[in-house]
Amino acid sequence: MNTYKTYLESRGFSNTTIQSNQNNLLQYINWSEDSQIEAEQSSYNEVLGYVHYLKKKGLQQGSIQASVNSLRHYFNWLIHRGVRKENPVINMNIKGIKRRILHNVLNKQELEKLYNDYK
């Protein structure tokens, strides 16, 4: 697993998701170069600066969270390769995003009945 793409493929991501993650990472790398920050060694505060930059650009919270998720995978890949020891964005979540909450979820017995009664 020497490439980021191979790492994402091994995690079972679709080609569309991999492409999106790579695009988000490329945007972060470009921003970090412009900000004279070494992307591989970014700190929590530096990534937070990037989040503020995305907010100033007018991106929606969902898009910003997608970028943070891409960075989370990137830093996990760096940890896997032994380049880093910790992930600075492991617990970073963007507030204001509506989360989906499942209601009326079937319990185990109801699922088994549904499975067994299916013809």
Side-chain angles (χ1 to χ4, degrees):
M1 269 191 273
N2 55 355
T3 67
Y4 182 57
K5 181 178 180 180
T6 306
Y7 174 80
L8 294 175
E9 287 171 346
S10 74
R11 296 292 199 221
F13 291 110
S14 70
N15 289 333
T16 305
T17 302
I18 291 171
Q19 187 63 44
S20 177
N21 272 288
Q22 289 177 316
N23 290 340
N24 288 336
L25 176 58
L26 183 60
Q27 290 175 9
Y28 178 71
I29 290 172
N30 289 336
W31 173 85
S32 64
E33 287 175 356
D34 291 343
S35 302
Q36 299 177 347
I37 295 169
E38 190 175 342
E40 287 185 349
Q41 299 303 321
S42 297
S43 68
Y44 176 85
N45 287 333
E46 289 166 339
V47 175
L48 198 57
Y50 180 64
V51 168
H52 290 305
Y53 164 77
L54 295 176
K55 285 182 183 180
K56 285 181 185 176
K57 280 182 59 176
L59 267 68
Q60 300 279 329
Q61 282 100 339
S63 298
I64 296 170
Q65 183 65 55
S67 293
V68 170
N69 290 342
S70 296
L71 292 176
R72 185 174 296 119
H73 293 300
Y74 171 65
F75 290 122
N76 283 338
W77 174 64
L78 292 175
I79 291 168
H80 181 78
R81 290 181 47 224
V83 175
R84 289 188 69 107
K85 292 185 180 185
E86 79 290 332
N87 187 334
V89 296
I90 195 72
N91 294 318
M92 184 183 285
N93 289 306
I94 305 302
K95 292 183 179 182
I97 298 175
K98 293 180 181 177
R99 310 278 188 222
R100 294 183 193 156
I101 299 173
L102 300 176
H103 298 282
N104 301 325
V105 179
L106 300 176
N107 63 33
K108 183 179 176 183
Q109 293 149 345
E110 292 169 325
L111 285 172
E112 286 177 356
K113 182 176 181 342
L114 182 64
Y115 176 77
N116 291 328
D117 292 346
Y118 181 75
K119 294 182 183 179

